[in-house]
Amino acid sequence: MQGNAIATAKKEGKDALYRNSQLNTTSDGNKEQQRVVAGDGSAPPVNESHDETEQPRKRQKLSPPESEKRSDSSSAEIVLESGKSKRRRSKRQDASGPNISHLVANSKGDHVVAVTAEDKCVRVFRLLGTGITQQLSERKMPKKPCSVNLTTDESTILCGDKFGDVYALPFFGCASANFSEESNVPAAKNAKEQKHIRGAFVPAATSLTVHTKRNQEALKNQEALKNRQNVTPNTPKDKTLNFEHKLLLGHVSLLTDLAYVTIESEPHVSSRTRSYIITSDRDEHIRVSRGLPQAHVIENYCLGHKSFVSRICILPWRKDILISGGGDDFLLVWVWLLGQIQQKLHIGGPVRDFRRRHRQDTLNLIGSLAESDPNVPGEKASEKFAASGIWAVAFPQHEDRAEAGNVILTLEAMPVIFFFSMTQNGEMVFRQCFPTQGNVLDIAILDTTSKEEPRLVYGMDCVHRPFSTDVVQEDNDRLAIGNLVYQKGTNSWIELDLATEEMNQCLKQDEHDGKGMIERGSKGSKPGALSDLLYGIENMRKRGPQE
């Protein structure tokens, strides 16, 4: 009897607990229903006095209206973090890809070496005809390349960067895991072995080649350094080049240009040829080093400039003559093997005459409004200028021809090409000043192996105003490419109108690219991405305390 009563009580207790749980579930469901039924999307206040310790539910992030999405996606994005709002600019990549800063073609014209500025890559392309190119390799350099050239046999690419280093790269090389350091040491099989395989310092001299007391002490210090490196391996570098390369030489200053030349030795000295690497830098130096594989040997220096040296040029018909120019108002003609100046030609006079004529032509064209235009050069304009390019073109040799060729000079942010004639004995004389519609950027000499008169193609800045590096031209009707041919009868260069028109028609479809770079990279008077790509030589000039 007592056992039945206990069983009945337990059953009634379970039923009561079940009814209470059903009641709680119904009340919670009503609360959720009230939140859903609310028309404004916000939960109405609920008095939950029975449990004050319960944490409030997290509110779900609602998607913003379409108009707000459009405004935020184009400029920036909002990031919520710990209750605080932080504004972060979204990184936008240019869909057009990196811009090409240097182009060098081989003698056959079937391969091109291109340097892209933004990613610091040296790329090799194969020309398949009809304007189609195929990329064969892509090698990223540690620093931004500023000059590129080919050796005489065109099997090696010489690349100089802004930090003064010159590297040798195989022409048809590609990125590979088999090379990891400047010394071309094969990569290790595992991470532990990778730490010990490094290009340790090895003295080039030995006790057999060092005789003086001072040099012997220096050699002992180098040997001690080598022993310490063997005990303590070098720490791995942050950025290793994963392709075959070799560091040839280095400058302590910013490298500006390089040239590679091969000449025949004198008969009484040697019957073989010898190659040289000639480099210039910001500190008024022109260094003559031996070619591969002895690029570490310095033959001599060509010292004579007072400002930076921006361009050097070897005459193709006289490889013992070098033309150099930079921030000075003169050009120097060198016998570079001896380090001697053969001629010093002042170019300040032709530059001032061209500025004066250009200003007068502008005044005659648009009237007195040009006098208040700061972009029109006048009598008080700065006399400083910098050489942006020097080229040499050889003429077909005839018995009655006194000129061996012409030297071509362009100046940064100037719409003009200067021509100088070179006599057979190496004397340079000013010949012609050819005005252009825009600032001249680069010149390509066409094939001169035939008996026809030489031709050249020059590229112009059709975005910025003449004499300016940052002011955008209002109209975009100017030409981007010009075509010149040498006329023997008048000993001058003339424009080929038909060829120029055809070449510019091919570029009409890409004329919006320059404007797009200006709009993205320029605000007010600050130079944009296009200005940084096209100009910058004048920035190498050392400023005095009053400048």
Side-chain angles (χ1 to χ4, degrees):
M1 199 63 187
Q2 184 178 1
N4 294 334
I6 295 174
T8 304
K10 288 182 178 181
K11 184 177 180 181
E12 291 177 354
K14 290 182 180 179
D15 294 337
L17 290 175
Y18 177 75
R19 287 193 299 270
N20 292 335
S21 62
Q22 291 292 106
L23 180 61
N24 294 334
T25 304
T26 306
S27 61
D28 292 339
N30 293 335
K31 294 177 183 178
E32 296 294 335
Q33 187 176 3
Q34 290 177 1
R35 291 190 180 96
V36 173
V37 171
D40 56 352
S42 61
V46 179
N47 187 10
E48 298 182 4
S49 59
H50 63 277
D51 190 2
E52 297 179 355
T53 61
E54 182 180 357
Q55 297 294 332
R57 293 176 178 269
K58 292 185 178 181
R59 303 180 66 181
Q60 295 182 354
K61 184 179 180 180
L62 302 179
S63 58
E66 293 297 329
S67 60
E68 186 177 352
K69 282 184 179 181
R70 290 191 296 267
S71 61
D72 289 344
S73 61
S74 61
S75 59
E77 58 182 358
I78 304 299
V79 179
L80 298 179
E81 183 177 344
S82 301
K84 298 180 181 179
S85 62
K86 293 184 179 181
R87 192 171 188 87
R88 184 178 66 191
R89 293 187 178 275
S90 59
K91 296 181 179 180
R92 300 168 59 186
Q93 296 181 353
D94 191 0
S96 61
N99 298 288
I100 297 176
S101 59
H102 297 78
L103 273 177
V104 176
N106 62 348
S107 58
K108 296 181 180 180
D110 55 354
H111 290 85
V112 174
V113 179
V115 176
T116 49
E118 287 79 6
D119 55 3
K120 301 176 291 187
C121 284
V122 178
R123 308 168 190 262
V124 178
F125 295 90
R126 175 185 294 157
L127 303 181
L128 303 178
T130 65
I132 302 176
T133 59
Q134 177 187 4
Q135 180 171 317
L136 303 180
S137 64
E138 174 183 335
R139 287 162 280 186
K140 186 173 183 179
M141 303 303 297
K143 303 297 179 182
K144 183 178 180 180
C146 62
S147 182
V148 63
N149 211 329
L150 301 178
T151 56
T152 305
D153 57 359
E154 297 182 346
S155 63
T156 305
I157 302 173
L158 300 179
C159 180
D161 58 29
K162 291 287 187 181
F163 278 63
D165 295 331
V166 178
Y167 292 89
L169 314 175
F171 192 90
F172 292 105
C174 60
S176 174
N178 296 327
F179 294 90
S180 61
E181 281 296 325
E182 288 82 352
S183 57
N184 294 338
V185 178
K189 297 181 180 180
N190 51 55
K192 183 181 294 185
E193 188 180 358
Q194 178 71 22
K195 295 181 180 179
H196 296 274
I197 298 182
R198 293 290 160 188
F201 171 74
V202 178
T206 63
S207 58
L208 300 177
T209 59
V210 174
H211 305 287
T212 62
K213 181 178 180 180
R214 179 180 298 178
N215 292 341
Q216 289 177 355
E217 293 179 356
L219 181 59
K220 291 180 180 179
N221 296 333
Q222 294 176 1
E223 292 290 347
L225 176 61
K226 176 184 176 182
N227 296 332
R228 289 195 300 269
Q229 289 181 345
N230 292 335
V231 176
T232 305
N234 295 338
T235 58
K237 294 185 177 181
D238 295 335
K239 296 182 180 180
T240 57
L241 305 182
N242 60 342
F243 52 85
E244 184 179 356
H245 65 283
K246 184 177 181 181
L247 178 62
L248 300 181
L249 56 93
H251 285 242
V252 296
S253 179
L254 189 149
L255 190 142
T256 57
D257 200 4
L258 68 89
Y260 192 87
V261 58
T262 301
I263 61 174
E264 297 182 358
S265 302
E266 297 180 5
H268 64 278
V269 177
S270 175
S271 59
R272 62 184 180 90
T273 60
R274 173 166 290 183
S275 300
Y276 298 90
I277 301 176
I278 306 176
T279 53
S280 60
D281 60 24
R282 185 189 179 190
D283 289 341
E284 308 95 32
H285 299 155
I286 300 176
R287 181 199 294 185
V288 180
S289 307
R290 290 186 182 180
L292 299 172
Q294 297 178 324
H296 60 279
V297 179
I298 301 176
E299 287 288 337
N300 56 59
Y301 283 90
C302 298
L303 305 177
H305 283 275
K306 299 179 181 179
S307 184
F308 62 90
V309 184
S310 58
R311 293 293 180 265
I312 55 178
C313 177
I314 298 290
L315 299 184
W317 61 91
R318 283 200 57 178
K319 296 185 178 181
D320 60 327
I321 299 297
L322 170 72
I323 312 296
S324 64
D328 298 311
D329 61 346
F330 54 82
L331 300 178
L332 292 181
V333 182
W334 299 89
V335 182
W336 55 270
L337 279 173
L338 303 177
Q340 297 178 354
I341 299 177
Q342 178 172 311
Q343 184 183 0
K344 183 177 181 180
L345 181 63
H346 289 271
I347 58 176
V351 173
R352 286 190 295 269
D353 293 342
F354 168 73
R355 282 174 168 168
R356 190 179 300 109
R357 290 197 304 269
H358 185 273
R359 174 178 172 79
Q360 188 61 40
D361 294 342
T362 306
L363 291 175
N364 296 336
L365 182 62
I366 62 177
S368 59
L369 294 178
E371 296 182 358
S372 59
D373 192 347
N375 299 294
V376 178
E379 299 296 336
K380 297 183 180 180
S382 176
E383 295 292 336
K384 295 181 180 180
F385 49 83
S388 60
I390 301 177
W391 300 267
V393 53
F395 291 157
Q397 296 301 315
H398 302 289
E399 297 180 356
D400 58 342
R401 195 158 209 163
E403 292 181 332
N406 271 185
V407 173
I408 307 170
L409 170 69
T410 59
L411 304 178
E412 187 179 45
M414 282 198 185
V416 62
I417 304 176
F418 295 98
F419 295 92
F420 303 85
S421 63
M422 295 294 299
T423 60
Q424 299 292 345
N425 58 0
E427 183 181 0
M428 187 165 61
V429 181
F430 173 72
R431 175 65 66 184
Q432 183 184 0
C433 172
F434 186 88
T436 60
Q437 293 188 15
N439 300 331
V440 181
L441 301 175
D442 201 358
I443 290 179
I445 308 296
L446 303 185
D447 186 17
T448 58
T449 56
S450 61
K451 296 183 180 180
E452 299 180 358
E453 297 300 329
R455 292 174 54 185
L456 62 86
V457 177
Y458 62 94
M460 293 174 289
D461 181 4
C462 58
V463 177
H464 299 95
R465 289 186 181 182
F467 294 97
S468 176
T469 61
D470 53 2
V471 181
V472 181
Q473 184 76 12
E474 296 178 358
D475 57 341
N476 197 23
D477 297 334
R478 292 180 299 170
L479 301 178
I481 291 181
N483 201 313
L484 300 180
V485 64
Y486 184 78
Q487 196 173 45
K488 182 181 177 182
T490 59
N491 293 330
S492 61
W493 293 80
I494 60 175
E495 185 86 34
L496 291 177
D497 297 333
L498 181 60
T500 299
E501 183 179 357
E502 292 178 353
M503 298 179 72
N504 282 274
Q505 287 294 333
C506 298
L507 297 177
K508 284 293 184 182
Q509 56 184 356
D510 297 330
E511 65 180 358
H512 63 280
D513 292 343
K515 287 290 186 180
M517 293 183 65
I518 285 293
E519 294 174 357
R520 292 193 301 268
S522 179
K523 292 183 179 181
S525 60
K526 294 182 179 180
L530 187 61
S531 299
D532 297 338
L533 177 67
L534 302 180
Y535 304 105
I537 297 178
E538 187 62 36
N539 297 334
M540 294 189 295
R541 190 180 301 277
K542 298 178 181 179
R543 308 296 179 182
Q546 298 180 355
E547 296 186 30

